[in-house]
Amino acid sequence: MTAERTLGVVMNGVTGRMGYRQHLVRSVLAIREQGGVELADGSRVRLEPVLVGRNAEKLREIARRHGLDRWTTDLDAALSDDSCPLYFDAQLTQAREKSLVLAMDAGKHVYTEKPTAETLAGALELARRARAAGIKNGVVHDKLYLPGLLKLKRLVDSGFFGRILSVRGEFGYWVFEGDWQSAQRPSWNYRAEDGGGIVLDMFCHWSYVLENLFGRVEAVIAKAVTHLPERHDERGNPYAATADDAAYGIFELAGGITAQINSSWCVRVNRDELVEFQVDGTHGSAVAGLHGCKVQPRVVTPKPVWNPDLAQSEPFRAQWQEVPDNVVRDNGFKAQWEQFVRHVVDDAPNAYDFMAGVRGLQLAEAGLLSSREGRRVELGELSL
């Protein structure tokens, strides 16, 4: 009979969209349903969540819906529970740093959404505290676990591209203003005073995607803009959108690779997925999204000829080949939860620690500085 143990997890911020859907329902509860996380010795760890938030009514309803009986609005009480050695945070960015400090002071291992803090200095201080206390720590890097990017990583590792020349990314969709149609994202995302902004949100993602697939970012040139200066909140009231809702960045990577990524909540989608990356190399190219990935090797690359006098007859999109799935991929958030639980319980490796989160904030701050001052900004080495 397979041995089983339990791991209590204090989950703060589960009333929010991401904390509820991806982390509670599709990760922690899904892991419970499958019988826990399997460890190297064949035993399993079953996760027991304690839900924490500010709204008792919402917490009570979530607990009722999923048959859970442990929830509280008192974070200190939850952190004093010795049966919960792990703390997870999916709160608003401005509330996260203080709660992470409280959790580490209580001796908890910590796993958190990004960004870990509102500033680079704050993120570095969190990393220093975790190291000094010997606390295991991790930051969500969900996009690395997505099927499309896993296929792209496989291509990189196989040498398919030859020498990689460039990466071009397009991310975003039209987020409605909230007046004639409700917005798909919370209003705080568009208020700088509440920690909003697409640079702070997405550059943290681009940092780890670029670093883990192609090379660490060494310099950035960025333009952050607020295309829509007024939006309407969840009650239909107008408010000033003070945060950037689009960012256009050029990233210089180690090894001489140039990456360009457009990020926008003010763009209408004319692509197969909400985010796509095109990678061009001397031996081939690929276009990857969250799920799909297609390639065009050098040996079958067509030879287009520029002729503006004739209508284009080349079926360019049909000249690419799909990369097969070959394996069934699990939810990316759930996959990283399992990896981090193994890190906590089994001491398995974890590359996505607080310092990885620090580098994401470093890139976000450098991008905002580049936009303000209209110049190229180099990213220096960071150390504890």
mmCIF file of all heavy atoms in Angstrom, residues 295-343:
data_model
loop_
_atom_site.group_PDB
_atom_site.id
_atom_site.type_symbol
_atom_site.label_atom_id
_atom_site.label_comp_id
_atom_site.label_asym_id
_atom_site.label_seq_id
_atom_site.Cartn_x
_atom_site.Cartn_y
_atom_site.Cartn_z
ATOM 1 N N VAL A 295 6.623 24.730 -37.528
ATOM 2 C CA VAL A 295 8.010 24.974 -37.933
ATOM 3 C C VAL A 295 8.127 25.074 -39.446
ATOM 4 O O VAL A 295 7.280 24.586 -40.201
ATOM 5 C CB VAL A 295 8.938 23.849 -37.426
ATOM 6 C CG1 VAL A 295 8.994 23.830 -35.917
ATOM 7 C CG2 VAL A 295 8.508 22.489 -37.977
ATOM 8 N N GLN A 296 9.229 25.704 -39.861
ATOM 9 C CA GLN A 296 9.612 25.738 -41.263
ATOM 10 C C GLN A 296 11.136 25.587 -41.331
ATOM 11 O O GLN A 296 11.876 26.534 -41.081
ATOM 12 C CB GLN A 296 9.189 27.044 -41.929
ATOM 13 C CG GLN A 296 9.389 27.038 -43.439
ATOM 14 C CD GLN A 296 8.833 28.279 -44.096
ATOM 15 O OE1 GLN A 296 9.553 29.239 -44.341
ATOM 16 N NE2 GLN A 296 7.525 28.273 -44.371
ATOM 17 N N PRO A 297 11.615 24.380 -41.638
ATOM 18 C CA PRO A 297 13.056 24.160 -41.724
ATOM 19 C C PRO A 297 13.668 24.858 -42.942
ATOM 20 O O PRO A 297 12.976 25.189 -43.909
ATOM 21 C CB PRO A 297 13.184 22.642 -41.858
ATOM 22 C CG PRO A 297 11.853 22.089 -41.481
ATOM 23 C CD PRO A 297 10.854 23.141 -41.820
ATOM 24 N N ARG A 298 14.967 25.040 -42.902
ATOM 25 C CA ARG A 298 15.668 25.701 -44.007
ATOM 26 C C ARG A 298 15.474 24.964 -45.324
ATOM 27 O O ARG A 298 15.304 25.589 -46.379
ATOM 28 C CB ARG A 298 17.166 25.777 -43.674
ATOM 29 C CG ARG A 298 18.023 26.336 -44.811
ATOM 30 C CD ARG A 298 19.462 26.531 -44.393
ATOM 31 N NE ARG A 298 20.094 25.282 -43.972
ATOM 32 C CZ ARG A 298 21.389 25.178 -43.671
ATOM 33 N NH1 ARG A 298 22.165 26.251 -43.697
ATOM 34 N NH2 ARG A 298 21.904 24.023 -43.306
ATOM 35 N N VAL A 299 15.458 23.620 -45.289
ATOM 36 C CA VAL A 299 15.432 22.849 -46.524
ATOM 37 C C VAL A 299 14.099 22.954 -47.264
ATOM 38 O O VAL A 299 14.010 22.590 -48.436
ATOM 39 C CB VAL A 299 15.761 21.366 -46.261
ATOM 40 C CG1 VAL A 299 17.207 21.220 -45.824
ATOM 41 C CG2 VAL A 299 14.812 20.768 -45.217
ATOM 42 N N VAL A 300 13.040 23.414 -46.599
ATOM 43 C CA VAL A 300 11.755 23.563 -47.278
ATOM 44 C C VAL A 300 11.277 25.019 -47.257
ATOM 45 O O VAL A 300 10.106 25.287 -47.521
ATOM 46 C CB VAL A 300 10.668 22.643 -46.662
ATOM 47 C CG1 VAL A 300 11.040 21.180 -46.864
ATOM 48 C CG2 VAL A 300 10.439 22.961 -45.195
ATOM 49 N N THR A 301 12.176 25.935 -46.954
ATOM 50 C CA THR A 301 11.801 27.348 -46.950
ATOM 51 C C THR A 301 11.560 27.830 -48.373
ATOM 52 O O THR A 301 12.424 27.668 -49.235
ATOM 53 C CB THR A 301 12.912 28.199 -46.303
ATOM 54 O OG1 THR A 301 13.121 27.756 -44.959
ATOM 55 C CG2 THR A 301 12.530 29.675 -46.291
ATOM 56 N N PRO A 302 10.390 28.405 -48.662
ATOM 57 C CA PRO A 302 10.111 28.906 -50.009
ATOM 58 C C PRO A 302 10.959 30.142 -50.317
ATOM 59 O O PRO A 302 11.647 30.684 -49.453
ATOM 60 C CB PRO A 302 8.624 29.251 -49.963
ATOM 61 C CG PRO A 302 8.339 29.489 -48.524
ATOM 62 C CD PRO A 302 9.246 28.599 -47.752
ATOM 63 N N LYS A 303 10.898 30.585 -51.563
ATOM 64 C CA LYS A 303 11.712 31.717 -52.015
ATOM 65 C C LYS A 303 10.801 32.840 -52.494
ATOM 66 O O LYS A 303 10.585 33.019 -53.699
ATOM 67 C CB LYS A 303 12.652 31.272 -53.140
ATOM 68 C CG LYS A 303 13.725 32.282 -53.494
ATOM 69 C CD LYS A 303 14.666 31.700 -54.542
ATOM 70 C CE LYS A 303 15.797 32.650 -54.868
ATOM 71 N NZ LYS A 303 16.714 32.075 -55.899
ATOM 72 N N PRO A 304 10.220 33.604 -51.544
ATOM 73 C CA PRO A 304 9.345 34.699 -51.954
ATOM 74 C C PRO A 304 10.104 35.766 -52.742
ATOM 75 O O PRO A 304 11.297 36.005 -52.511
ATOM 76 C CB PRO A 304 8.838 35.274 -50.622
ATOM 77 C CG PRO A 304 9.110 34.208 -49.617
ATOM 78 C CD PRO A 304 10.327 33.494 -50.081
ATOM 79 N N VAL A 305 9.413 36.390 -53.654
ATOM 80 C CA VAL A 305 9.972 37.499 -54.444
ATOM 81 C C VAL A 305 9.037 38.688 -54.320
ATOM 82 O O VAL A 305 7.824 38.566 -54.506
ATOM 83 C CB VAL A 305 10.141 37.096 -55.924
ATOM 84 C CG1 VAL A 305 10.655 38.285 -56.739
ATOM 85 C CG2 VAL A 305 11.103 35.920 -56.056
ATOM 86 N N TRP A 306 9.585 39.835 -53.964
ATOM 87 C CA TRP A 306 8.783 41.056 -53.791
ATOM 88 C C TRP A 306 8.313 41.579 -55.140
ATOM 89 O O TRP A 306 9.119 41.879 -56.025
ATOM 90 C CB TRP A 306 9.617 42.109 -53.069
ATOM 91 C CG TRP A 306 8.946 43.447 -52.949
ATOM 92 C CD1 TRP A 306 9.152 44.535 -53.734
ATOM 93 C CD2 TRP A 306 7.934 43.814 -52.005
ATOM 94 N NE1 TRP A 306 8.351 45.573 -53.344
ATOM 95 C CE2 TRP A 306 7.589 45.161 -52.276
ATOM 96 C CE3 TRP A 306 7.295 43.154 -50.966
ATOM 97 C CZ2 TRP A 306 6.632 45.855 -51.539
ATOM 98 C CZ3 TRP A 306 6.354 43.839 -50.236
ATOM 99 C CH2 TRP A 306 6.027 45.170 -50.520
ATOM 100 N N ASN A 307 7.004 41.660 -55.291
ATOM 101 C CA ASN A 307 6.440 42.228 -56.518
ATOM 102 C C ASN A 307 5.099 42.871 -56.164
ATOM 103 O O ASN A 307 4.064 42.206 -56.140
ATOM 104 C CB ASN A 307 6.242 41.163 -57.592
ATOM 105 C CG ASN A 307 5.806 41.781 -58.925
ATOM 106 O OD1 ASN A 307 5.428 42.944 -58.994
ATOM 107 N ND2 ASN A 307 5.866 40.985 -59.990
ATOM 108 N N PRO A 308 5.103 44.167 -55.872
ATOM 109 C CA PRO A 308 3.863 44.833 -55.451
ATOM 110 C C PRO A 308 2.828 44.972 -56.563
ATOM 111 O O PRO A 308 1.691 45.379 -56.303
ATOM 112 C CB PRO A 308 4.366 46.202 -54.990
ATOM 113 C CG PRO A 308 5.603 46.436 -55.766
ATOM 114 C CD PRO A 308 6.242 45.096 -55.919
ATOM 115 N N ASP A 309 3.194 44.632 -57.794
ATOM 116 C CA ASP A 309 2.260 44.787 -58.909
ATOM 117 C C ASP A 309 1.327 43.590 -59.065
ATOM 118 O O ASP A 309 0.351 43.650 -59.820
ATOM 119 C CB ASP A 309 3.033 44.993 -60.218
ATOM 120 C CG ASP A 309 3.875 46.260 -60.199
ATOM 121 O OD1 ASP A 309 3.396 47.258 -59.616
ATOM 122 O OD2 ASP A 309 4.995 46.253 -60.713
ATOM 123 N N LEU A 310 1.639 42.492 -58.362
ATOM 124 C CA LEU A 310 0.812 41.285 -58.476
ATOM 125 C C LEU A 310 0.239 40.908 -57.107
ATOM 126 O O LEU A 310 0.900 41.065 -56.080
ATOM 127 C CB LEU A 310 1.642 40.109 -59.012
ATOM 128 C CG LEU A 310 2.178 40.239 -60.443
ATOM 129 C CD1 LEU A 310 3.035 39.031 -60.780
ATOM 130 C CD2 LEU A 310 1.027 40.382 -61.434
ATOM 131 N N ALA A 311 -0.992 40.412 -57.115
ATOM 132 C CA ALA A 311 -1.590 39.922 -55.870
ATOM 133 C C ALA A 311 -0.817 38.699 -55.376
ATOM 134 O O ALA A 311 -0.354 37.881 -56.173
ATOM 135 C CB ALA A 311 -3.051 39.558 -56.102
ATOM 136 N N GLN A 312 -0.684 38.590 -54.066
ATOM 137 C CA GLN A 312 0.100 37.500 -53.489
ATOM 138 C C GLN A 312 -0.624 36.168 -53.649
ATOM 139 O O GLN A 312 -1.789 36.024 -53.293
ATOM 140 C CB GLN A 312 0.338 37.761 -51.999
ATOM 141 C CG GLN A 312 1.247 36.765 -51.335
ATOM 142 C CD GLN A 312 2.604 36.673 -52.018
ATOM 143 O OE1 GLN A 312 2.917 35.659 -52.643
ATOM 144 N NE2 GLN A 312 3.373 37.745 -51.943
ATOM 145 N N SER A 313 0.057 35.201 -54.232
ATOM 146 C CA SER A 313 -0.543 33.880 -54.452
ATOM 147 C C SER A 313 0.080 32.799 -53.577
ATOM 148 O O SER A 313 -0.424 31.680 -53.519
ATOM 149 C CB SER A 313 -0.398 33.477 -55.930
ATOM 150 O OG SER A 313 0.982 33.418 -56.292
ATOM 151 N N GLU A 314 1.169 33.115 -52.891
ATOM 152 C CA GLU A 314 1.825 32.121 -52.029
ATOM 153 C C GLU A 314 0.979 31.857 -50.780
ATOM 154 O O GLU A 314 0.618 32.796 -50.065
ATOM 155 C CB GLU A 314 3.199 32.646 -51.590
ATOM 156 C CG GLU A 314 4.258 32.589 -52.674
ATOM 157 C CD GLU A 314 4.954 31.243 -52.724
ATOM 158 O OE1 GLU A 314 4.522 30.321 -51.987
ATOM 159 O OE2 GLU A 314 5.904 31.108 -53.501
ATOM 160 N N PRO A 315 0.670 30.602 -50.480
ATOM 161 C CA PRO A 315 -0.083 30.274 -49.250
ATOM 162 C C PRO A 315 0.874 30.182 -48.062
ATOM 163 O O PRO A 315 1.156 29.100 -47.550
ATOM 164 C CB PRO A 315 -0.699 28.909 -49.587
ATOM 165 C CG PRO A 315 0.315 28.281 -50.505
ATOM 166 C CD PRO A 315 0.938 29.402 -51.301
ATOM 167 N N PHE A 316 1.362 31.325 -47.589
ATOM 168 C CA PHE A 316 2.437 31.326 -46.596
ATOM 169 C C PHE A 316 2.106 30.509 -45.349
ATOM 170 O O PHE A 316 2.940 29.752 -44.852
ATOM 171 C CB PHE A 316 2.775 32.761 -46.196
ATOM 172 C CG PHE A 316 3.438 33.551 -47.293
ATOM 173 C CD1 PHE A 316 2.887 34.745 -47.737
ATOM 174 C CD2 PHE A 316 4.602 33.100 -47.893
ATOM 175 C CE1 PHE A 316 3.497 35.480 -48.747
ATOM 176 C CE2 PHE A 316 5.218 33.821 -48.899
ATOM 177 C CZ PHE A 316 4.667 35.012 -49.331
ATOM 178 N N ARG A 317 0.906 30.647 -44.810
ATOM 179 C CA ARG A 317 0.564 29.933 -43.579
ATOM 180 C C ARG A 317 0.520 28.413 -43.793
ATOM 181 O O ARG A 317 0.755 27.643 -42.864
ATOM 182 C CB ARG A 317 -0.777 30.420 -43.036
ATOM 183 C CG ARG A 317 -0.725 31.838 -42.452
ATOM 184 C CD ARG A 317 -2.070 32.235 -41.861
ATOM 185 N NE ARG A 317 -2.057 33.570 -41.311
ATOM 186 C CZ ARG A 317 -1.706 33.889 -40.073
ATOM 187 N NH1 ARG A 317 -1.320 32.921 -39.243
ATOM 188 N NH2 ARG A 317 -1.724 35.142 -39.645
ATOM 189 N N ALA A 318 0.208 27.997 -44.991
ATOM 190 C CA ALA A 318 0.125 26.564 -45.279
ATOM 191 C C ALA A 318 1.501 25.927 -45.451
ATOM 192 O O ALA A 318 1.608 24.704 -45.566
ATOM 193 C CB ALA A 318 -0.709 26.339 -46.544
ATOM 194 N N GLN A 319 2.550 26.738 -45.483
ATOM 195 C CA GLN A 319 3.896 26.216 -45.718
ATOM 196 C C GLN A 319 4.631 25.860 -44.425
ATOM 197 O O GLN A 319 5.840 25.618 -44.438
ATOM 198 C CB GLN A 319 4.701 27.252 -46.521
ATOM 199 C CG GLN A 319 4.145 27.458 -47.927
ATOM 200 C CD GLN A 319 4.687 28.711 -48.602
ATOM 201 O OE1 GLN A 319 5.309 29.551 -47.966
ATOM 202 N NE2 GLN A 319 4.449 28.824 -49.901
ATOM 203 N N TRP A 320 3.888 25.808 -43.326
ATOM 204 C CA TRP A 320 4.470 25.452 -42.037
ATOM 205 C C TRP A 320 3.923 24.104 -41.575
ATOM 206 O O TRP A 320 2.805 23.734 -41.909
ATOM 207 C CB TRP A 320 4.147 26.530 -40.989
ATOM 208 C CG TRP A 320 4.779 27.864 -41.285
ATOM 209 C CD1 TRP A 320 4.436 28.719 -42.278
ATOM 210 C CD2 TRP A 320 5.854 28.476 -40.582
ATOM 211 N NE1 TRP A 320 5.231 29.839 -42.251
ATOM 212 C CE2 TRP A 320 6.111 29.719 -41.213
ATOM 213 C CE3 TRP A 320 6.618 28.112 -39.470
ATOM 214 C CZ2 TRP A 320 7.113 30.586 -40.772
ATOM 215 C CZ3 TRP A 320 7.610 28.982 -39.035
ATOM 216 C CH2 TRP A 320 7.854 30.198 -39.677
ATOM 217 N N GLN A 321 4.713 23.384 -40.785
ATOM 218 C CA GLN A 321 4.349 22.047 -40.318
ATOM 219 C C GLN A 321 4.145 22.067 -38.807
ATOM 220 O O GLN A 321 4.961 22.616 -38.062
ATOM 221 C CB GLN A 321 5.457 21.046 -40.672
ATOM 222 C CG GLN A 321 5.156 19.617 -40.263
ATOM 223 C CD GLN A 321 6.289 18.672 -40.643
ATOM 224 O OE1 GLN A 321 7.313 19.092 -41.190
ATOM 225 N NE2 GLN A 321 6.110 17.393 -40.347
ATOM 226 N N GLU A 322 3.053 21.449 -38.339
ATOM 227 C CA GLU A 322 2.762 21.404 -36.913
ATOM 228 C C GLU A 322 3.723 20.454 -36.179
ATOM 229 O O GLU A 322 4.009 19.356 -36.665
ATOM 230 C CB GLU A 322 1.329 20.939 -36.661
ATOM 231 C CG GLU A 322 0.268 21.994 -36.918
ATOM 232 C CD GLU A 322 0.265 23.089 -35.861
ATOM 233 O OE1 GLU A 322 0.774 22.834 -34.737
ATOM 234 O OE2 GLU A 322 -0.232 24.182 -36.151
ATOM 235 N N VAL A 323 4.188 20.874 -35.036
ATOM 236 C CA VAL A 323 4.974 20.003 -34.163
ATOM 237 C C VAL A 323 3.992 19.136 -33.377
ATOM 238 O O VAL A 323 3.086 19.670 -32.721
ATOM 239 C CB VAL A 323 5.841 20.832 -33.190
ATOM 240 C CG1 VAL A 323 6.590 19.918 -32.222
ATOM 241 C CG2 VAL A 323 6.824 21.702 -33.972
ATOM 242 N N PRO A 324 4.122 17.821 -33.405
ATOM 243 C CA PRO A 324 3.143 16.959 -32.723
ATOM 244 C C PRO A 324 3.258 17.075 -31.210
ATOM 245 O O PRO A 324 4.312 17.413 -30.658
ATOM 246 C CB PRO A 324 3.533 15.554 -33.192
ATOM 247 C CG PRO A 324 4.979 15.656 -33.548
ATOM 248 C CD PRO A 324 5.159 17.037 -34.110
ATOM 249 N N ASP A 325 2.147 16.772 -30.532
ATOM 250 C CA ASP A 325 2.154 16.810 -29.071
ATOM 251 C C ASP A 325 3.028 15.694 -28.492
ATOM 252 O O ASP A 325 3.815 15.920 -27.579
ATOM 253 C CB ASP A 325 0.727 16.688 -28.537
ATOM 254 C CG ASP A 325 -0.077 17.968 -28.775
ATOM 255 O OD1 ASP A 325 0.471 19.050 -28.525
ATOM 256 O OD2 ASP A 325 -1.238 17.872 -29.203
ATOM 257 N N ASN A 326 2.843 14.489 -28.985
ATOM 258 C CA ASN A 326 3.601 13.305 -28.553
ATOM 259 C C ASN A 326 3.314 12.885 -27.109
ATOM 260 O O ASN A 326 3.302 11.698 -26.795
ATOM 261 C CB ASN A 326 5.110 13.496 -28.733
ATOM 262 C CG ASN A 326 5.516 13.490 -30.197
ATOM 263 O OD1 ASN A 326 4.732 13.115 -31.059
ATOM 264 N ND2 ASN A 326 6.727 13.916 -30.486
ATOM 265 N N VAL A 327 3.124 13.841 -26.224
ATOM 266 C CA VAL A 327 2.779 13.518 -24.831
ATOM 267 C C VAL A 327 1.605 14.396 -24.413
ATOM 268 O O VAL A 327 1.399 15.476 -24.958
ATOM 269 C CB VAL A 327 3.967 13.747 -23.869
ATOM 270 C CG1 VAL A 327 5.094 12.792 -24.172
ATOM 271 C CG2 VAL A 327 4.448 15.185 -23.935
ATOM 272 N N VAL A 328 0.840 13.922 -23.436
ATOM 273 C CA VAL A 328 -0.276 14.687 -22.895
ATOM 274 C C VAL A 328 0.256 15.623 -21.815
ATOM 275 O O VAL A 328 0.918 15.178 -20.867
ATOM 276 C CB VAL A 328 -1.362 13.760 -22.312
ATOM 277 C CG1 VAL A 328 -2.479 14.583 -21.687
ATOM 278 C CG2 VAL A 328 -1.911 12.843 -23.399
ATOM 279 N N ARG A 329 -0.012 16.919 -21.955
ATOM 280 C CA ARG A 329 0.479 17.903 -21.000
ATOM 281 C C ARG A 329 -0.604 18.283 -19.996
ATOM 282 O O ARG A 329 -1.762 18.461 -20.360
ATOM 283 C CB ARG A 329 0.939 19.168 -21.739
ATOM 284 C CG ARG A 329 2.057 18.935 -22.744
ATOM 285 C CD ARG A 329 3.361 18.598 -22.066
ATOM 286 N NE ARG A 329 4.442 18.452 -23.041
ATOM 287 C CZ ARG A 329 5.673 18.052 -22.730
ATOM 288 N NH1 ARG A 329 5.956 17.765 -21.474
ATOM 289 N NH2 ARG A 329 6.599 17.955 -23.653
ATOM 290 N N ASP A 330 -0.202 18.415 -18.754
ATOM 291 C CA ASP A 330 -1.125 18.816 -17.703
ATOM 292 C C ASP A 330 -1.208 20.336 -17.650
ATOM 293 O O ASP A 330 -0.435 21.047 -18.307
ATOM 294 C CB ASP A 330 -0.644 18.276 -16.362
ATOM 295 C CG ASP A 330 -1.793 17.974 -15.411
ATOM 296 O OD1 ASP A 330 -2.887 18.524 -15.623
ATOM 297 O OD2 ASP A 330 -1.585 17.175 -14.478
ATOM 298 N N ASN A 331 -2.152 20.855 -16.864
ATOM 299 C CA ASN A 331 -2.257 22.284 -16.639
ATOM 300 C C ASN A 331 -0.915 22.828 -16.150
ATOM 301 O O ASN A 331 -0.287 22.255 -15.249
ATOM 302 C CB ASN A 331 -3.349 22.541 -15.601
ATOM 303 C CG ASN A 331 -3.472 24.002 -15.215
ATOM 304 O OD1 ASN A 331 -2.692 24.489 -14.408
ATOM 305 N ND2 ASN A 331 -4.445 24.684 -15.790
ATOM 306 N N GLY A 332 -0.447 23.933 -16.743
ATOM 307 C CA GLY A 332 0.867 24.468 -16.415
ATOM 308 C C GLY A 332 1.007 24.893 -14.971
ATOM 309 O O GLY A 332 2.056 24.690 -14.345
ATOM 310 N N PHE A 333 -0.027 25.510 -14.403
ATOM 311 C CA PHE A 333 0.017 25.911 -13.005
ATOM 312 C C PHE A 333 0.119 24.683 -12.103
ATOM 313 O O PHE A 333 0.904 24.660 -11.152
ATOM 314 C CB PHE A 333 -1.232 26.723 -12.640
ATOM 315 C CG PHE A 333 -1.275 28.089 -13.262
ATOM 316 C CD1 PHE A 333 -1.837 28.284 -14.513
ATOM 317 C CD2 PHE A 333 -0.756 29.181 -12.598
ATOM 318 C CE1 PHE A 333 -1.889 29.528 -15.090
ATOM 319 C CE2 PHE A 333 -0.797 30.446 -13.165
ATOM 320 C CZ PHE A 333 -1.365 30.628 -14.412
ATOM 321 N N LYS A 334 -0.674 23.671 -12.408
ATOM 322 C CA LYS A 334 -0.663 22.441 -11.609
ATOM 323 C C LYS A 334 0.702 21.756 -11.683
ATOM 324 O O LYS A 334 1.225 21.264 -10.678
ATOM 325 C CB LYS A 334 -1.751 21.511 -12.107
ATOM 326 C CG LYS A 334 -1.791 20.134 -11.435
ATOM 327 C CD LYS A 334 -3.016 19.367 -11.873
ATOM 328 C CE LYS A 334 -3.022 17.944 -11.352
ATOM 329 N NZ LYS A 334 -2.118 17.068 -12.124
ATOM 330 N N ALA A 335 1.296 21.729 -12.876
ATOM 331 C CA ALA A 335 2.603 21.088 -13.042
ATOM 332 C C ALA A 335 3.658 21.768 -12.176
ATOM 333 O O ALA A 335 4.501 21.098 -11.565
ATOM 334 C CB ALA A 335 3.017 21.123 -14.509
ATOM 335 N N GLN A 336 3.609 23.096 -12.094
ATOM 336 C CA GLN A 336 4.606 23.765 -11.258
ATOM 337 C C GLN A 336 4.302 23.599 -9.779
ATOM 338 O O GLN A 336 5.217 23.515 -8.959
ATOM 339 C CB GLN A 336 4.749 25.246 -11.602
ATOM 340 C CG GLN A 336 5.996 25.834 -10.942
ATOM 341 C CD GLN A 336 6.245 27.290 -11.243
ATOM 342 O OE1 GLN A 336 5.544 27.911 -12.039
ATOM 343 N NE2 GLN A 336 7.252 27.853 -10.601
ATOM 344 N N TRP A 337 3.031 23.535 -9.397
ATOM 345 C CA TRP A 337 2.695 23.226 -8.012
ATOM 346 C C TRP A 337 3.302 21.883 -7.600
ATOM 347 O O TRP A 337 3.884 21.756 -6.523
ATOM 348 C CB TRP A 337 1.175 23.182 -7.827
ATOM 349 C CG TRP A 337 0.588 24.456 -7.320
ATOM 350 C CD1 TRP A 337 0.040 25.464 -8.046
ATOM 351 C CD2 TRP A 337 0.497 24.872 -5.951
ATOM 352 N NE1 TRP A 337 -0.388 26.484 -7.226
ATOM 353 C CE2 TRP A 337 -0.130 26.147 -5.935
ATOM 354 C CE3 TRP A 337 0.863 24.297 -4.739
ATOM 355 C CZ2 TRP A 337 -0.369 26.843 -4.751
ATOM 356 C CZ3 TRP A 337 0.617 24.991 -3.551
ATOM 357 C CH2 TRP A 337 0.013 26.240 -3.571
ATOM 358 N N GLU A 338 3.163 20.888 -8.445
ATOM 359 C CA GLU A 338 3.711 19.566 -8.130
ATOM 360 C C GLU A 338 5.222 19.636 -7.999
ATOM 361 O O GLU A 338 5.814 19.025 -7.095
ATOM 362 C CB GLU A 338 3.304 18.569 -9.210
ATOM 363 C CG GLU A 338 1.814 18.273 -9.227
ATOM 364 C CD GLU A 338 1.408 17.351 -10.352
ATOM 365 O OE1 GLU A 338 2.008 17.425 -11.433
ATOM 366 O OE2 GLU A 338 0.474 16.554 -10.141
ATOM 367 N N GLN A 339 5.857 20.378 -8.895
ATOM 368 C CA GLN A 339 7.315 20.529 -8.853
ATOM 369 C C GLN A 339 7.752 21.209 -7.559
ATOM 370 O O GLN A 339 8.726 20.793 -6.917
ATOM 371 C CB GLN A 339 7.783 21.325 -10.073
ATOM 372 C CG GLN A 339 9.290 21.493 -10.185
ATOM 373 C CD GLN A 339 9.780 22.784 -9.550
ATOM 374 O OE1 GLN A 339 9.086 23.790 -9.574
ATOM 375 N NE2 GLN A 339 10.968 22.746 -8.986
ATOM 376 N N PHE A 340 7.005 22.255 -7.141
ATOM 377 C CA PHE A 340 7.401 22.962 -5.930
ATOM 378 C C PHE A 340 7.134 22.127 -4.673
ATOM 379 O O PHE A 340 7.918 22.172 -3.720
ATOM 380 C CB PHE A 340 6.689 24.311 -5.825
ATOM 381 C CG PHE A 340 7.240 25.166 -4.712
ATOM 382 C CD1 PHE A 340 8.489 25.752 -4.839
ATOM 383 C CD2 PHE A 340 6.528 25.351 -3.541
ATOM 384 C CE1 PHE A 340 9.023 26.515 -3.803
ATOM 385 C CE2 PHE A 340 7.053 26.110 -2.505
ATOM 386 C CZ PHE A 340 8.309 26.701 -2.646
ATOM 387 N N VAL A 341 6.058 21.368 -4.658
ATOM 388 C CA VAL A 341 5.805 20.479 -3.515
ATOM 389 C C VAL A 341 6.935 19.467 -3.378
ATOM 390 O O VAL A 341 7.404 19.177 -2.264
ATOM 391 C CB VAL A 341 4.439 19.779 -3.675
ATOM 392 C CG1 VAL A 341 4.290 18.642 -2.664
ATOM 393 C CG2 VAL A 341 3.300 20.782 -3.508
ATOM 394 N N ARG A 342 7.413 18.937 -4.493
ATOM 395 C CA ARG A 342 8.549 17.998 -4.440
ATOM 396 C C ARG A 342 9.798 18.705 -3.917
ATOM 397 O O ARG A 342 10.624 18.102 -3.221
ATOM 398 C CB ARG A 342 8.806 17.399 -5.816
ATOM 399 C CG ARG A 342 7.692 16.488 -6.313
ATOM 400 C CD ARG A 342 8.066 15.787 -7.611
ATOM 401 N NE ARG A 342 6.940 15.008 -8.122
ATOM 402 C CZ ARG A 342 6.164 15.393 -9.117
ATOM 403 N NH1 ARG A 342 6.399 16.544 -9.744
ATOM 404 N NH2 ARG A 342 5.155 14.644 -9.519
ATOM 405 N N HIS A 343 9.943 19.980 -4.259
ATOM 406 C CA HIS A 343 11.075 20.752 -3.749
ATOM 407 C C HIS A 343 10.986 20.879 -2.231
ATOM 408 O O HIS A 343 11.983 20.720 -1.520
ATOM 409 C CB HIS A 343 11.071 22.134 -4.408
ATOM 410 C CG HIS A 343 12.104 23.074 -3.875
ATOM 411 N ND1 HIS A 343 13.455 22.793 -3.889
ATOM 412 C CD2 HIS A 343 11.985 24.306 -3.298
ATOM 413 C CE1 HIS A 343 14.131 23.803 -3.358
ATOM 414 N NE2 HIS A 343 13.257 24.728 -2.983
#
